[in-house]
Amino acid sequence: MNKIKIIASCLLISTSIFQGIAQQKLKLEYDKPATNWNEALPLGNGRLGAMVFGNPQKEELQLNEETVWAGEPGNNVPKNVFLNIEEIRKLLFEGKNKEAQDLANTTFPRVAPKDLNYGMPYQTVGSLWIEFPGHENYSEYKRDLDIENAVSSVSYKVDGVTYKRTLLTSFSDDIVLVKLTADKKKSISFSLSATSPQVLSNFRTQNKKLFFEGTTASVDNKTGKVKFVGEAVCTLKGGNLTATADKLIIKNADEVIIRIAIATNFKNYKDLSADPTQITTAVLAKASKKKYAESFQSHIKAYQKYFNRVSLYLGDSPQSNKTTDVRIKEFATSYDPQLVGLYFQFGRYLLISSSQPGNQPANLQGIWNHKLNPSWDSKYTVNINTEMNYWPAEITNLSELHQPLFSMLKDLSVTGKESASEMYHARGWNMHHNTDLWRMTGVVDGGFYGLWPMGGAWLTQHLWQHYLFTGDRKFLKEYYPVLKGAAQFYLDVLQEEPEHKWLVVAPSMSPENTYEKSVGVSAGTTMDNQLVFDTFNNIVNASKILETDKSFADSVSVALKRLPPMQIGQYSQLQEWLHDWDKPNDHHRHISHLYGLFPSGQISPFRTPQLIEAAKNTLISRGDVSTGWSMGWKVNWWARLLDGNRAFKLIKDQLSPAPLEIKGQSGGTYPNLLDAHPPFQIDGNFGCTAGITEMLLQSYDGAIYLLPALPDDFKNGKVTGLKARGGFEVAIEWENGKAKQLTIKSTLGGNCRLRIASDVKLKGEAELNIAKGENTNSFYQVETIKEPLIAQKAVLNGFKLPNTQLYDFNTEAGKTYVFKSK
């Protein structure tokens, strides 16, 4: 070998080593099959979901289709409750809280009345079974989920033959696709069958295809009317296929491709007239015309269009060579920054896989559920969980995946007119703390948990935030009626409370918490005030941008001035209620009044120092360990409090093994990286992904803040593709905790204001000028917060701010700006 070749090969080796070090490993890996559902691996294309168990002898693909819900079209709004709602208001304002709660409980009983329902459960289709006789004794077993390609694989040896399964839910062909191979010809023999827990189900073969059909369950006052049809077809290379009444049998094949299609009769929340048989047959016919290699590549291309937008590298260690279940067990005591990076990208993988444009939004379990009666019905719980599902959408560059939630909001703005009018005699639309496939908007789970009319206020924040990230005026115009309908409702239902003459929502509650024994119903909770503040400001600003509806916006502005200020109570805490009722030993999972800190930006270290200190006091008193979603929210709060080490401590708590118990409030992570309440809820995954992003980049409070909450464990790293409000795309590389290189792409143009640690000096092709006054970029407008009322007993010691500097530079749409540390 000559010298040039030697040098070239050395360069190649060193380059590949460098890439290996700097590249995130994006696989969940295991050395044994799943023994239960929480060890199986999730695949999804937005509409179809599959959990892969990886058993050599008997593979189970547990299947979901996003519209397989119990029941039928129809709302759940109770009749003749307005007079009782008015009486509850009166009792609350008289201080008769127990009597108000008792009346709420009798008006809205805990168990659904016989002529009503509290929403329908999301249900499983069933399971497909691939049974391999003689594969009980195996060796060299490997199972993985490659989240870079959205592909799962299983490999093992039996009698000297290596078998491999490759599985995916195709983003391009809308099917479940399975490839079975062996390294010796004529080695593949198996049977294919299906089962379902659905009472009304049927399994048959016809024309050498396997069909599995069913109808969803009847619950409360609704009859199950969603019909689903699944169809599986095998393509063989070598061997032969025969069929029994309900099973396909393949013998001595070299290779087999299994294609599975599933469809339902669901068209929309009020129409079940689709023909599922016709749909599955057409989808399979189209997919079967493609060669496997073409289908495989087109799937990866469609998936990576989203996934590849963001990369994150936080470092590596020998831990990343271990199986994922072992890494979770050892995370608390072992340095494994790569697992945090994997967990971050796994959250993005789950959102891509459970929320595609044109489909249903991700529910409480995304699209993965193996039961007919899952916990909390796996519905859309909108007093935190559904919103948390979509926290990563804009910031991790998955903006289009927000669309299913927006589509649901359009539906709710129609069905919610019934609850607004019938229950509250109000204009506009509203909903309570749950909805389902049928877009119900009435009270769910009775007068304690359910009398919270704020679902529309929180969900519509996602519309406004989408506008702030994208600057899409056409979108804002399209959804303006939804924003307006929510604002109309609150304009009509706000009540003057007797003590300060503030306008408050009553009756309501601070989600799922109490201030007296078994009493939660209240007036003017802090979270309600914060939500109405945002809802009103959104419509006022949208009205200005679109130059419409000035008189309505003026009416909203008048009411906005009469909302209560936030208050700091006797324990130096941010008050949860209108009165100082907080309990110092309260460790409740919901800390709803910190909505103003995150996801809203009403509380800020730099603008509201007293409120930020009170929010921190509240968070400390509530404690760290809780349910999975609660810990996910806490990561975001500590990031907003600029405490990266405490945020990372919460990530460590969350990335600890989940208990085997199926109930409780201990949080944790299952071996398949899914979040535990317990049981499984997907929101904790999404909450942590958002929280990791907030540790690296924040874009509220008038500026883009670089590395605001970097923990000591992440001294060096690199992130690309994160999004900031105002249409900025940001990449940051850092060393020893300081920004080393910054790349900003501006899609909308305008002023870019950066907050950077004051000892970091960046130089680039644009000149950074010391910022003066408020940010001229309209996407960074900051609303004025009223001065807080502070209890006499409160002791505030001040909030220590990091040393930072604000810089401005002007950007042009479409241009990219690179800065390096001096």
Side-chain angles (χ1 to χ4, degrees):
M1 191 182 275
N2 63 37
K3 277 187 178 180
I4 293 171
K5 281 188 176 176
I6 291 169
I7 292 167
S9 63
C10 287
L11 281 170
L12 186 66
I13 290 165
S14 64
T15 303
S16 64
I17 288 170
F18 174 77
Q19 286 174 341
I21 291 168
Q23 194 173 0
Q24 173 73 12
K25 294 171 186 171
L26 295 168
K27 280 187 180 179
L28 285 67
E29 297 176 306
Y30 307 85
D31 58 10
K32 52 186 177 293
T35 57
N36 62 63
W37 195 87
N38 293 315
E39 294 176 350
L41 296 174
L43 292 169
N45 68 357
R47 192 180 69 82
L48 299 175
M51 293 294 280
V52 182
F53 285 70
N55 191 312
Q57 184 196 4
K58 193 173 184 179
E59 177 65 272
E60 179 181 4
L61 299 182
Q62 185 267 310
L63 299 170
N64 287 102
E65 197 279 347
E66 63 174 2
T67 62
V68 176
W69 290 68
E72 60 185 314
N75 210 336
N76 72 330
V77 177
K79 303 290 183 188
N80 305 316
V81 296
F82 176 68
L83 292 178
N84 281 12
I85 284 174
E86 287 210 304
E87 180 62 21
I88 294 167
R89 284 172 180 157
K90 182 170 172 287
L91 290 167
L92 287 170
F93 289 144
E94 289 171 355
K96 298 175 180 175
N97 305 324
K98 178 71 167 61
E99 292 90 334
Q101 186 67 68
D102 289 344
L103 181 55
N105 293 347
T106 53
T107 306
F108 308 102
R110 183 70 175 89
V111 178
K114 67 177 189 314
D115 61 342
L116 207 59
N117 68 84
Y118 285 163
M120 296 293 110
Y122 175 57
Q123 299 190 315
T124 181
V125 166
S127 293
L128 205 68
W129 302 89
I130 313 171
E131 197 161 356
F132 299 85
H135 285 211
E136 298 90 344
N137 298 314
Y138 53 87
S139 61
E140 298 180 35
Y141 182 90
K142 288 180 184 174
R143 175 171 67 105
D144 68 39
L145 173 61
D146 177 355
I147 62 170
E148 190 172 18
N149 296 307
V151 173
S152 180
S153 64
V154 179
S155 67
Y156 57 90
K157 261 189 179 179
V158 171
D159 297 332
V161 178
T162 299
Y163 294 88
K164 186 171 183 185
R165 303 169 195 166
T166 307
L167 309 98
L168 57 93
T169 42
S170 173
F171 282 85
S172 51
D173 295 336
D174 201 18
I175 58 168
V176 181
L177 189 59
V178 182
K179 182 182 183 182
L180 305 173
T181 60
D183 66 358
K184 182 183 174 186
K185 290 195 170 187
K186 299 185 179 180
S187 297
I188 301 173
S189 298
F190 66 92
S191 64
L192 189 67
S193 60
T195 59
S196 176
Q198 296 284 0
V199 175
L200 294 173
S201 57
N202 178 45
F203 315 98
R204 60 186 174 84
T205 61
Q206 185 180 329
N207 299 327
K208 294 190 175 179
K209 294 177 184 177
L210 175 66
F211 290 84
F212 42 103
E213 303 158 340
T215 303
T216 59
S218 300
V219 175
D220 295 332
N221 68 331
K222 282 191 171 184
T223 303
K225 290 184 180 175
V226 175
K227 291 180 166 51
F228 63 84
V229 172
E231 191 176 334
V233 61
C234 298
T235 304
L236 279 62
K237 190 182 283 185
N240 60 76
L241 185 155
T242 57
T244 66
D246 58 0
K247 196 177 284 189
L248 300 179
I249 298 168
I250 287 84
K251 287 191 175 174
N252 305 325
D254 302 337
E255 175 187 294
V256 179
I257 310 297
I258 307 171
R259 295 177 175 87
I260 305 149
I262 308 170
T264 75
N265 60 342
F266 180 90
K267 269 195 170 178
N268 57 54
Y269 72 93
K270 53 188 176 182
D271 185 348
L272 297 178
S273 64
D275 184 339
T277 303
Q278 188 179 30
I279 295 167
T280 54
T281 302
V283 167
L284 268 187
K286 187 177 178 184
S288 297
K289 287 177 184 172
K290 292 185 184 177
K291 289 184 176 175
Y292 174 82
E294 182 191 349
S295 293
F296 187 82
Q297 289 304 322
S298 60
H299 156 76
I300 290 174
K301 185 180 178 184
Y303 168 74
Q304 289 187 342
K305 176 179 82 169
Y306 300 109
F307 185 80
N308 285 356
R309 292 173 184 172
V310 172
S311 68
L312 174 64
Y313 180 71
L314 297 171
D316 203 355
S317 76
Q319 285 297 109
S320 64
N321 297 318
K322 298 182 180 180
T323 58
T324 306
D325 51 331
V326 170
R327 293 171 71 185
I328 294 167
K329 282 179 189 170
E330 297 178 354
F331 186 68
T333 55
S334 303
Y335 178 67
D336 191 359
Q338 206 271 342
L339 185 62
V340 181
L342 180 67
Y343 193 61
F344 165 85
Q345 289 286 28
F346 185 62
R348 295 183 69 245
Y349 165 81
L350 291 173
L351 189 58
I352 298 166
S353 302
S354 63
S355 182
Q356 284 289 303
N359 292 353
Q360 299 298 314
N363 64 46
L364 206 54
Q365 294 180 271
I367 48 172
W368 299 279
N369 163 44
H370 59 303
K371 296 179 179 178
L372 296 186
N373 295 297
S375 298
W376 309 284
D377 290 339
S378 196
K379 293 198 293 278
Y380 300 102
T381 306
V382 300
N383 64 6
I384 173 59
N385 315 88
T386 303
E387 291 86 357
M388 186 179 280
N389 283 4
Y390 285 90
W391 287 351
E394 303 295 336
I395 56 178
T396 74
N397 215 331
L398 299 173
S399 192
E400 305 97 312
L401 307 190
H402 231 150
Q403 190 274 335
L405 186 71
F406 303 153
S407 180
M408 182 168 81
L409 270 164
K410 265 191 185 169
D411 295 344
L412 290 166
S413 71
V414 175
T415 58
K417 286 178 181 175
E418 186 183 351
S419 50
S421 171
E422 178 68 38
M423 294 177 63
Y424 299 94
H425 290 188
R427 295 171 300 162
W429 68 275
N430 95 304
M431 63 180 301
H432 295 81
H433 90 295
N434 262 239
T435 192
D436 60 8
L437 185 72
W438 314 112
R439 309 310 192 228
M440 54 135 190
T441 59
V443 164
V444 170
D445 296 335
F448 175 77
Y449 290 102
L451 196 50
W452 183 76
M454 306 304 297
W458 198 345
L459 283 176
T460 53
Q461 303 311 317
H462 288 255
L463 298 171
W464 181 248
Q465 291 302 320
H466 179 74
Y467 171 72
L468 291 184
F469 276 91
T470 64
D472 188 343
R473 285 173 62 97
K474 187 179 173 188
F475 168 86
L476 187 63
K477 186 176 182 181
E478 180 185 349
Y479 281 89
Y480 181 82
V482 181
L483 290 169
K484 181 179 180 180
Q488 278 179 315
F489 172 76
Y490 296 107
L491 203 56
D492 285 4
V493 299
L494 286 173
Q495 307 291 310
E496 185 178 270
E497 56 83 33
E499 190 176 345
H500 299 92
K501 310 301 180 190
W502 292 325
L503 294 180
V504 298
V505 178
S508 186
M509 67 180 307
S510 193
E512 302 182 30
N513 204 358
T514 59
Y515 54 90
E516 294 174 14
K517 185 174 170 54
S518 302
V519 177
V521 69
S522 48
T525 70
T526 298
M527 185 201 211
D528 285 4
N529 305 332
Q530 293 167 342
L531 281 168
V532 174
F533 177 87
D534 279 350
T535 302
F536 281 0
N537 275 304
N538 295 349
I539 201 68
V540 169
N541 290 326
S543 169
K544 282 180 193 164
I545 292 161
L546 298 173
E547 297 178 340
T548 187
D549 241 357
K550 187 176 184 306
S551 61
F552 178 70
D554 288 345
S555 301
V556 171
S557 296
V558 170
L560 189 53
K561 291 184 177 71
R562 295 187 60 195
L563 296 178
M566 284 182 261
Q567 301 179 75
I568 297 170
Q570 60 185 317
Y571 304 112
S572 311
Q573 87 286 7
L574 185 68
Q575 268 182 220
E576 185 164 3
W577 288 275
L578 200 62
H579 301 96
D580 198 355
W581 292 332
D582 298 68
K583 301 180 281 279
N585 60 345
D586 184 3
H587 293 150
H588 199 272
R589 62 196 175 277
H590 286 263
I591 320 178
S592 302
H593 51 309
L594 294 194
Y595 161 87
L597 176 61
F598 183 91
S600 185
Q602 297 171 33
I603 300 172
S604 141
F606 298 96
R607 292 175 190 266
T608 59
Q610 294 169 318
L611 288 171
I612 202 83
E613 185 178 351
K616 182 177 181 178
N617 292 338
T618 292
L619 201 47
I620 291 169
S621 73
R622 285 292 179 95
D624 287 349
V625 176
S626 186
T627 61
W629 63 261
S630 181
M631 289 195 286
W633 201 351
K634 288 169 184 173
V635 175
N636 290 273
W637 284 324
W638 282 111
R640 286 279 173 98
L641 288 165
L642 311 181
D643 191 335
N645 288 332
R646 190 65 177 261
F648 183 53
K649 192 261 180 190
L650 264 298
I651 293 170
K652 279 191 167 183
D653 290 342
Q654 177 60 2
L655 269 172
S656 59
L660 296 174
E661 293 82 16
I662 59 166
K663 291 186 177 178
Q665 297 189 25
S666 53
T669 296
Y670 291 113
N672 57 10
L673 272 188
L674 291 176
D675 161 63
H677 182 288
F680 161 55
Q681 276 186 203
I682 204 166
D683 39 30
N685 288 99
F686 295 134
C688 256
T689 291
I692 292 164
T693 311
E694 288 286 322
M695 293 161 75
L696 303 175
L697 184 78
Q698 294 174 16
S699 67
Y700 80 110
D701 200 33
I704 296 172
Y705 194 167
L706 304 178
L707 307 178
L710 200 64
D712 294 338
D713 282 64
F714 302 162
K715 286 279 190 220
N716 306 312
K718 183 177 182 179
V719 66
T720 67
L722 297 182
K723 292 301 280 282
R725 289 165 180 83
F728 297 107
E729 186 172 309
V730 183
I732 316 167
E733 187 175 352
W734 65 94
E735 268 183 11
N736 296 317
K738 304 292 182 187
K740 178 187 174 188
Q741 181 165 314
L742 170 67
T743 305
I744 294 181
K745 181 181 178 183
S746 175
T747 60
L748 301 174
N751 186 57
C752 181
R753 176 164 291 184
L754 299 175
R755 185 180 290 280
I756 310 172
S758 55
D759 57 351
V760 172
K761 306 298 178 191
L762 294 175
K763 189 169 185 180
E765 49 217 77
E767 190 177 341
L768 295 176
N769 299 304
I770 301 291
K772 292 175 183 171
E774 290 297 327
N775 192 342
T776 56
N777 190 319
S778 61
F779 297 105
Y780 284 84
Q781 176 183 326
V782 179
E783 308 301 342
T784 303
I785 303 294
K786 287 182 178 179
E787 285 294 314
L789 295 185
I790 304 174
Q792 284 188 338
K793 289 184 180 178
V795 178
L796 297 175
N797 301 311
F799 184 86
K800 191 173 186 303
L801 287 171
N803 292 320
T804 62
Q805 182 63 58
L806 286 174
Y807 296 99
D808 282 348
F809 72 100
N810 193 50
T811 71
E812 291 178 35
K815 280 197 74 173
T816 299
Y817 302 84
V818 179
F819 302 89
K820 294 184 179 181
S821 59
K822 292 181 183 178

